[in-house]
Each structure stands twice: as structure tokens, then as C-alpha cells.
Amino acid sequence: MKREKELKAKTEFDASYELYGESIFNFCMSRLSCDVEASEDCTQEVFLVYYKRLLKGESFEYPRAFLYKTAVNMIKRTRLKQEKQRVNETELDDRLNLSDSGFGVESEISYEQIVSRINSMLNENELQLFTMFFIENIKVKDISEKLGITPGTCSTRLSRLRDKVKNGIKDLI
């Protein structure tokens, strides 16, 4: 019985993907500023939702409508994720005071390059502190409690960490 249900779901899925896969991808492309990677991910998520619902035994009188509605929701999620990433990149620059450091941020450098360099130059404890303060925006008081150190010690470590990171990524900027 279960095997029969899976076979039916796979057959419906394959037929729908064949019919609507390209148009859903194009729809995502048009809404996500022609970002191929994001559109591929969005399309994949749309069909994953569809397949999971088929496996649960749902049937769709109008699969195309369901796929497009799901695509609209996935596009919204993707845009929110993209915006959050842009905000995080900006906040990271601001929190590290890169704009005040005398070596402008105008050069062509990717966020990924900076993050990769930071990850490679920090030890595990420093990376944990960096992530908590600069990425997760946890307050010094809360970090000090989590790490079992005084707030003053935490502030000193953060100051040294900021200097280490700024010096470590100078050549990238």
C-alpha cells in the first residue's frame, strides 16, 4: 500500500515537473532579479513541498496553481534571506568599524572572502566570542555570563579580537 502511494506520488510529481518545472524556474528568475542560483534553489524548494504533499496523499485538482502559489511564498522567503544577509554584511562592516579604519571598503571583495579569512585566523574560543558578539549581536553582559568571565574581561577580549580581525583582513580591503 505504502509503495503504491509512493509510486503514484512519484508519477504525479514527474509529470508536473515535466510540465511546469521550466516555467516555475522562469517565474522565480523574473522575481529574483535573474539570480540563477537563488532561482534554482527556489524552484527546488517549490517542488520539494509539492512532492512531500503528494507523499502525504494529497491530490491537486490544479497542480499548476499550487506550484505558483508555493513559488510566490518561496520567493518571499528567499528575498527575506537575501535582505537579512545584506544587513548582516553591513552590520559586520559597521561593528568592526571598517569604514573608520582608513582603508576604504570600496574595493572589490566578497563577504565570503572576509568570513573565510576570519574563520581561518581565529581559534575556537575567539571564533565563539566573535560569533556571539559580531554576528548574533549578544550583549557583553550575556556573553560574559555564558563564558563565565567578568564583563570587563569580555570587553577587553572583544577589543583585542576587533583589532586582530581588522589587522588580519587589512590586505583584503
Side-chain angles (χ1 to χ4, degrees), residues 12 20 58-66:
E12 278 187 56
Y20 309 117
E58 288 186 49
S59 62
F60 299 92
E61 188 174 348
Y62 303 104
R64 183 176 182 269
F66 175 80

Side-chain angles (χ1 to χ4, degrees), residues 4-165:
E4 195 175 292
K5 192 176 178 182
E6 288 175 357
L7 187 57
K8 182 182 177 203
K10 183 171 179 2
T11 304
E12 278 187 56
F13 174 83
D14 289 343
S16 294
Y17 188 79
E18 186 67 31
L19 283 170
Y20 309 117
E22 189 174 340
S23 61
I24 294 293
F25 172 76
N26 290 333
F27 179 73
C28 293
M29 280 283 284
S30 69
R31 301 303 191 279
L32 294 172
S33 305
C34 295
D35 183 340
V36 176
E37 189 177 324
S39 298
E40 287 173 345
D41 290 346
C42 184
T43 304
Q44 184 177 16
E45 289 294 321
V46 167
F47 280 96
L48 183 62
V49 167
Y50 180 63
Y51 186 65
K52 285 180 178 180
R53 302 273 294 264
L54 287 172
L55 283 176
K56 288 181 181 178
E58 288 186 49
S59 62
F60 299 92
E61 188 174 348
Y62 303 104
R64 183 176 182 269
F66 175 80
L67 291 168
Y68 274 93
K69 182 155 178 71
T70 305
V72 167
N73 291 329
M74 289 301 163
I75 290 165
K76 287 177 184 175
R77 285 184 187 171
T78 301
R79 284 181 178 159
L80 285 172
K81 252 195 283 187
Q82 289 173 336
E83 183 59 31
K84 185 175 180 182
Q85 184 177 359
R86 274 193 290 278
V87 167
N88 284 342
E89 290 171 9
T90 304
E91 285 180 358
L92 179 60
D93 289 346
D94 291 345
R95 293 190 65 133
L96 287 173
N97 297 320
L98 294 178
S99 55
D100 301 336
S101 57
F103 40 84
V105 186
E106 294 82 17
S107 63
E108 286 297 315
I109 180 163
S110 73
Y111 179 72
E112 290 78 21
Q113 287 175 302
I114 293 174
V115 171
S116 176
R117 173 70 63 88
I118 290 170
N119 284 332
S120 67
M121 63 187 263
L122 300 180
N123 66 40
E124 207 170 302
N125 293 334
E126 291 171 329
L127 193 55
Q128 179 186 20
L129 183 61
F130 180 87
T131 302
M132 284 192 286
F133 186 75
F134 292 105
I135 306 299
E136 297 172 0
N137 296 322
I138 299 175
K139 295 178 182 174
V140 172
K141 180 181 172 229
D142 297 330
I143 294 172
S144 64
E145 288 174 8
K146 283 184 180 184
L147 298 179
I149 57 177
T150 67
T153 301
C154 186
S155 292
T156 301
R157 288 182 186 175
L158 283 167
S159 177
R160 290 179 184 155
L161 185 59
R162 181 182 293 115
D163 291 342
K164 181 176 182 176
V165 169

